[in-house]
């Protein structure tokens, strides 16, 4: 599990990490000897613990206290655990549950809930549209003379909507004409190509006199064909942090919650820590690069690409002393289950 370490040292370090994860208290040599039935005297275990401290794997918060694992110890432990992924979830039940939520948004939201339910930590799922995202169809729902619900359905299964408030009145018949025009002209085009072409057409002099194009320009200015280009981000389980000793002051805890509320910050964090190949489990211990308040946190996640082009990033964020075997197994299984589901 830990390179360059004897089997005896490895077992003692693993016992200390396991005990600390369970109790959040410094671990003494006598406790290790009794609880884990080591065939070693407390004095021998103490000497080994001192060697492990010299190697940077253990720390002693107080001279009279036991030892606690360091970031280095947790990092090695988590990476070792990630090489062994025993199953612990009812995959058939999870598969049925996710199949019942076929849309990208529904499935991403449900995945967040499942990860939180199974790990009791903070779960983050982001669905990121591909650059080659194509238009399947546009729907325009007339609500009143100056209020229109704009709905975009893309080829990757995403359905996005936005309310438009217009300065001038529009009729249901006019909306139907605009919808038919867009679907006939642009279905199957990439969203980028559609925006470029519409910019060109609406800039032509005739657009000022064309009744349909003039009304289309109103909706276009309200964000039609821009909706759907932003990532969908779901987070659940932040309240779980309140029941865990995460060694944060009240101010730092408030900073952490503010960070978790910002979609942009969450995307940046997933970008930073889930940069591996698609389907490859990523384990990050100590996240101070993302935010000082996250220095004693770990993140376990992966990213997957669906046939439709949407990239999904899913991760579990929790205290450094999280239950790594359970979280690693859950993230790996749920991620690969998502990749195998029909779109």
């Amino acid at each position: 599990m830990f390179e360059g370490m004897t089997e005896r040292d490895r077992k003692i370090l693993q016992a200390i990490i396991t005990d600390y994860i369970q109790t959040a208290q410094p671990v003494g040599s006598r406790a290790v000897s009794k609880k884990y039935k080591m065939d070693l005297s407390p004095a021998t275990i103490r000497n080994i613990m001192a060697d492990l401290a010299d190697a940077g794997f253990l720390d002693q918060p107080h001279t009279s206290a036991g030892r606690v694992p360091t970031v280095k110890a947790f990092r090695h432990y988590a990476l070792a655990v990630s090489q062994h992924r025993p199953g612990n979830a009812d995959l058939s039940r999870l598969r049925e549950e996710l199949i019942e939520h076929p849309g990208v948004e529904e499935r991403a939201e449900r995945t967040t809930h499942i990860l939180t339910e199974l790990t009791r930590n903070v779960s983050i799922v982001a669905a990121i549209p591909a650059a080659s995202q194509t238009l399947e169809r546009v729907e325009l729902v007339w609500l009143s003379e100056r209020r229109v619900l704009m709905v975009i359905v893309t080829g990757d299964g995403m359905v996005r909507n936005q309310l438009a408030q217009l300065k001038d009145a529009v009729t249901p018949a006019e909306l139907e004409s605009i919808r038919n025009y867009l679907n006939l002209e642009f279905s199957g085009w990439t969203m980028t190509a559609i925006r470029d072409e519409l910019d060109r057409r609406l800039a032509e002099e005739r657009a000022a006199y064309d009744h349909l194009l003039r009304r289309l320009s109103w909706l276009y200015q309200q964000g039609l064909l821009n909706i759907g280009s932003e990532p969908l981000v779901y987070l659940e389980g932040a309240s779980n942090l309140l029941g865990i000793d995460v060694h944060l002051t009240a101010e730092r805890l408030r900073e952490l919650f503010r960070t978790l509320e910002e979609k942009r910050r969450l995307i940046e964090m997933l970008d930073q820590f889930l940069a591996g190949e698609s389907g490859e489990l990523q384990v990050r211990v100590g996240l101070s690069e993302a935010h000082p308040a996250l220095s004693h946190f770990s993140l376990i996640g992966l990213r997957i690409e669906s046939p439709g082009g949407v990239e999904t990033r899913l991760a579990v964020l929790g205290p450094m002393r999280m239950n790594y075997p359970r979280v690693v197994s859950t993230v790996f299984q749920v991620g690969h289950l998502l990749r195998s589901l029909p779109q």
Side-chain angles (χ1 to χ4, degrees), residues 6-190:
T6 66
E7 181 67 12
R8 185 178 68 173
D9 293 358
R10 181 191 67 77
K11 284 184 177 178
I12 289 174
L13 181 56
Q14 185 173 355
I16 293 169
I17 293 172
T18 301
D19 201 76
Y20 184 72
I21 287 173
Q22 293 171 352
T23 68
Q25 297 297 320
V27 183
S29 57
R30 190 172 295 278
V32 172
S33 177
K34 286 184 175 181
K35 191 171 183 179
Y36 296 94
K37 296 184 171 39
M38 297 282 180
D39 192 19
L40 299 167
S41 69
T44 301
I45 294 174
R46 249 191 323 272
N47 289 334
I48 294 171
M49 290 170 70
D51 291 340
L52 291 170
D54 290 341
F57 289 105
L58 296 178
D59 194 11
Q60 191 170 25
H62 308 289
T63 53
S64 60
R67 307 277 180 164
V68 298
T70 61
V71 173
K72 179 180 178 180
F74 274 117
R75 187 170 290 134
H76 280 73
Y77 175 72
L79 289 173
V81 167
S82 71
Q83 306 305 312
H84 307 282
R85 300 156 187 155
N88 68 345
D90 184 348
L91 290 184
S92 59
R93 179 185 69 82
L94 295 181
R95 176 181 287 275
E96 289 175 8
E97 194 170 339
L98 288 171
I99 285 177
E100 289 176 1
H101 299 81
V104 172
E105 299 93 330
E106 287 183 36
R107 190 166 286 176
E109 187 172 13
R110 192 61 197 165
T111 300
T112 312
H113 179 72
I114 288 171
L115 289 173
T116 300
E117 186 179 50
L118 294 178
T119 67
R120 299 301 176 189
N121 283 292
V122 180
S123 300
I124 308 166
V125 176
I128 301 171
S132 57
Q133 189 180 48
T134 60
L135 176 70
E136 182 176 311
R137 70 181 187 278
V138 172
E139 296 293 340
L140 300 172
V141 182
W142 187 88
L143 300 176
S144 69
E145 287 186 345
R146 290 178 173 79
R147 294 175 70 244
V148 176
L149 182 66
M150 307 183 294
V151 182
I152 297 290
V153 183
T154 48
D156 51 23
M158 286 186 133
V159 180
R160 310 293 284 275
N161 62 74
Q162 182 173 307
L163 185 66
Q165 298 278 359
L166 304 178
K167 291 181 180 179
D168 297 298
V170 65
T171 67
E174 289 170 334
L175 289 182
E176 185 177 358
S177 296
I178 294 170
R179 182 200 65 193
N180 291 341
Y181 172 79
L182 290 172
N183 290 336
L184 182 64
E185 293 284 321
F186 299 115
S187 181
W189 286 43
T190 67

Side-chain angles (χ1 to χ4, degrees), residues 8 165 181 219 239 273 278 306 316 337:
R8 185 178 68 173
Q165 298 278 359
Y181 172 79
L219 298 175
S239 60
F273 297 119
S278 177
S306 70
V316 169
L337 177 60

